């Protein structure tokens, strides 16, 4: 396993400062980042944190084994249908299953789209490619994988972008056309070496605009590190109905980012002043303050009473002005779920 290389998020304004001729564009798929480490002794599949998850995806391991290709490959693990890639909600049903059943693997087959090659070969014959520029790594990757690609083992296609206007148009078109299956564009400098962490100015991600929902803060908890003295972790909910048909707030997620230090101080004061209960380290607060929450997608969840959860929620705006009873209904979020 090689520590993964990550991208910096960029805005439309920041894209305007990029010389597109120095970069190669790819789709940013909505799956999970993985590395395949294939040797003559076996195959490992690692998450971006270095956990071997091969046992959870034996179908993918078998597919790779059949290619006979050895090396270290960087890509995106995705759910697949017969004709297309699946949604993150489908992939979610396969994650954390230590021994998936044959039925589950048949219902939600998975595969990998590969976009980088860190090494080729096995054992003493392995040759590292991390010191080569991206353009050369991609050439070698194409040569090795093109003969063995199939529906669920694919190469990430590159997109020719010749202007900033085209970059914006392509990003908007793929986000609209693909629903939540593709999150936007990855832009990678052609000369970039493969470096762990988030090296500046090498890879960027230009994602679709976030979804927004107005939710009500329900609980708060102290943060960690520099925020350990402040209530900075917030659980929030939207309006739904309980078992007897009453309108109630049901939790949909938790966020601890997106606000300034000044706003954190104001929120901390508000939490302390409006506490109505305590459950260990968690404070229950009066259901009066609305957050405009940004998020990437919605999926079903057994963890929350609402039955749904948000992906990558963050506080977009504090709606000091908005009455809590005007926050969004849960049905709006349910309608956003892509199966």
């Amino acid at each position: 396993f090689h520590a993964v290389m990550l991208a910096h998020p960029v805005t439309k304004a920041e894209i305007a400062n990029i010389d597109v001729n120095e970069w190669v564009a790819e789709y940013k798929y909505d799956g999970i980042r993985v590395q395949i480490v294939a040797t003559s002794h076996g195959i490992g599949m690692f998450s971006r944190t270095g956990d071997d998850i091969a046992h959870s995806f034996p179908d993918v391991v078998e597919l790779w084994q059949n290619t006979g290709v050895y090396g270290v490959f960087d890509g995106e693990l995705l759910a697949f249908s017969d004709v297309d890639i699946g949604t993150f909600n489908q992939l979610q049903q396969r994650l954390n299953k230590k021994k998936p059943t044959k039925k589950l693997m048949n219902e939600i087959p998975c595969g990998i789209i590969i976009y980088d090659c860190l090494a080729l070969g096995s054992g003493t014959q392995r040759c590292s490619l991390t010191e080569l520029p991206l353009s050369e790594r991609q050439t070698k990757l194409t040569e090795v994988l093109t003969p063995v690609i199939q529906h669920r083992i694919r190469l990430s296609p590159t997109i020719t972008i010749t202007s900033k206007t085209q970059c914006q148009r392509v990003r908007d078109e793929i986000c609209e056309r693909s629903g939540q299956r593709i999150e936007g564009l990855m832009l990678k400098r052609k000369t970039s070496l493969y470096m762990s962490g988030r090296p500046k100015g090498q890879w960027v991600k230009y994602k679709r605009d976030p979804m927004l929902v107005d939710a009500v803060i329900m609980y708060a908890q102290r943060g960690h590190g520099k925020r350990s003295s402040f209530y900075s972790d917030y659980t929030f909910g939207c309006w739904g109905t309980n078992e007897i048909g009453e309108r109630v707030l049901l939790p949909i997620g938790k966020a601890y980012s997106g606000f300034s230090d000044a706003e954190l101080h104001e929120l901390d004061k508000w939490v302390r002043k409006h506490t109505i209960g305590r459950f260990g380290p968690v404070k229950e607060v009066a259901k009066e303050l609305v957050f405009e929450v940004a998020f990437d997608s919605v999926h079903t969840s057994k963890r929350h009473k609402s039955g749904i959860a948000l992906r990558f929620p963050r506080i977009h705006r504090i709606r000091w002005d908005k009455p809590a009873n005007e926050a969004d209904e849960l049905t709006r979020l349910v309608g956003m779920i892509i199966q």
Side-chain angles (χ1 to χ4, degrees):
F1 172 77
H2 191 289
V4 297
M5 184 169 175
L6 302 169
H8 287 273
V10 291
T11 63
K12 181 178 180 179
E14 290 169 316
I15 285 289
N17 297 321
I18 286 179
D19 181 355
V20 292
N21 295 314
E22 297 177 0
W23 301 70
V24 62
E26 297 175 302
Y27 297 123
K28 187 180 187 313
Y29 297 97
D30 190 13
I32 67 165
R33 184 78 170 276
V34 292
Q35 267 182 31
I36 287 282
V37 180
T39 73
S40 56
H41 300 292
I43 295 171
M45 184 163 66
F46 298 89
S47 69
R48 61 184 280 181
T49 55
D51 298 314
D52 193 346
I53 58 173
H55 58 274
S56 295
F57 297 91
D59 49 340
V60 180
V61 170
E62 183 180 0
L63 286 173
W64 194 276
Q65 207 156 22
N66 292 338
T67 69
V69 175
Y70 299 145
V72 182
F73 302 89
D74 202 350
E76 199 83 4
L77 178 69
L78 298 157
F80 279 78
S81 67
D82 290 338
V83 295
D84 200 0
I85 60 173
T87 66
F88 184 79
N89 289 340
Q90 291 170 315
L91 179 61
Q92 187 92 357
Q93 297 174 55
R94 289 285 308 267
L95 297 177
N96 302 319
K97 295 283 193 305
K98 291 185 178 179
K99 289 188 71 174
T101 63
K102 287 185 178 180
K103 181 174 182 290
L104 180 60
M105 288 189 288
N106 288 333
E107 290 175 348
I108 309 175
C110 289
I112 301 179
I113 293 182
I114 300 293
Y115 45 71
D116 213 334
C117 181
L118 283 58
L120 283 174
S122 176
T124 57
Q125 302 300 312
R126 175 170 291 175
C127 176
S128 174
L129 306 183
T130 57
E131 295 300 314
L132 295 180
L134 175 67
S135 56
E136 292 186 36
R137 297 199 308 274
Q138 288 188 325
T139 297
K140 290 182 180 294
L141 176 63
T142 302
E143 290 173 355
V144 170
L145 279 193
T146 297
V148 297
I149 57 174
Q150 45 103 340
H151 180 50
R152 290 193 280 141
I153 300 287
R154 301 187 192 178
L155 279 169
S156 175
T158 55
I159 308 161
T160 301
I161 300 228
T162 56
S163 70
K164 293 162 189 173
T165 303
Q166 184 195 13
C167 180
Q168 179 68 39
R169 186 175 68 251
V170 169
R171 177 262 202 176
D172 292 345
E173 285 176 355
I174 62 173
C175 288
E176 181 178 350
R177 189 175 67 243
S178 66
Q180 293 177 17
R181 291 170 171 81
I182 297 177
E183 297 183 295
L185 289 179
M186 290 289 297
L187 296 172
K188 300 175 180 178
R189 195 177 289 277
K190 295 175 183 177
T191 56
S192 61
L193 311 183
Y194 196 98
M195 297 173 279
S196 60
R198 231 182 222 102
K200 190 173 182 181
Q202 301 303 305
W203 290 6
V204 299
K205 51 187 177 183
Y206 187 27
K207 296 174 68 173
R208 62 173 174 248
D209 296 330
M211 301 177 183
L212 299 172
V213 66
D214 284 339
V216 181
I217 176 175
M218 302 173 68
Y219 306 98
Q221 192 170 351
R222 290 181 191 270
H224 302 280
K226 294 180 180 179
R227 290 183 171 181
S228 58
S229 299
F230 299 94
Y231 285 92
S232 62
D233 297 9
Y234 310 110
T235 298
F236 43 82
C238 284
W239 293 105
T241 53
N242 61 15
E243 297 82 357
I244 59 174
E246 296 174 322
R247 189 174 188 246
V248 293
L249 282 169
L250 296 172
I252 59 170
K254 186 176 184 179
Y256 41 83
S257 64
F259 41 82
S260 66
D261 288 343
E263 288 173 325
L264 172 59
H265 282 78
E266 290 300 311
L267 287 169
D268 181 72
K269 289 178 185 176
W270 188 92
V271 168
R272 294 174 189 275
K273 185 177 179 180
H274 293 83
T275 298
I276 60 173
R278 186 185 292 271
F279 307 94
V282 178
K283 283 192 171 186
E284 182 181 7
V285 296
K287 313 305 184 289
E288 298 173 4
L289 180 59
V290 175
F291 288 155
E292 185 177 65
V293 179
F295 58 98
D296 287 1
S297 60
V298 193
H299 57 85
T300 56
S301 171
K302 295 179 180 178
R303 186 177 60 189
H304 299 306
K305 287 183 179 179
S306 62
I308 65 169
L310 308 184
R311 191 166 183 222
F312 300 139
R314 58 269 189 199
I315 308 303
H316 188 255
R317 190 161 50 127
I318 307 167
R319 295 298 307 270
W320 300 103
D321 60 313
K322 188 164 190 172
N325 64 359
E326 293 181 11
D328 279 312
E329 301 290 331
L330 189 62
T331 50
R332 177 170 177 263
L333 286 169
V334 172
M336 296 180 182
I337 298 174
I338 296 181
Q339 301 298 334

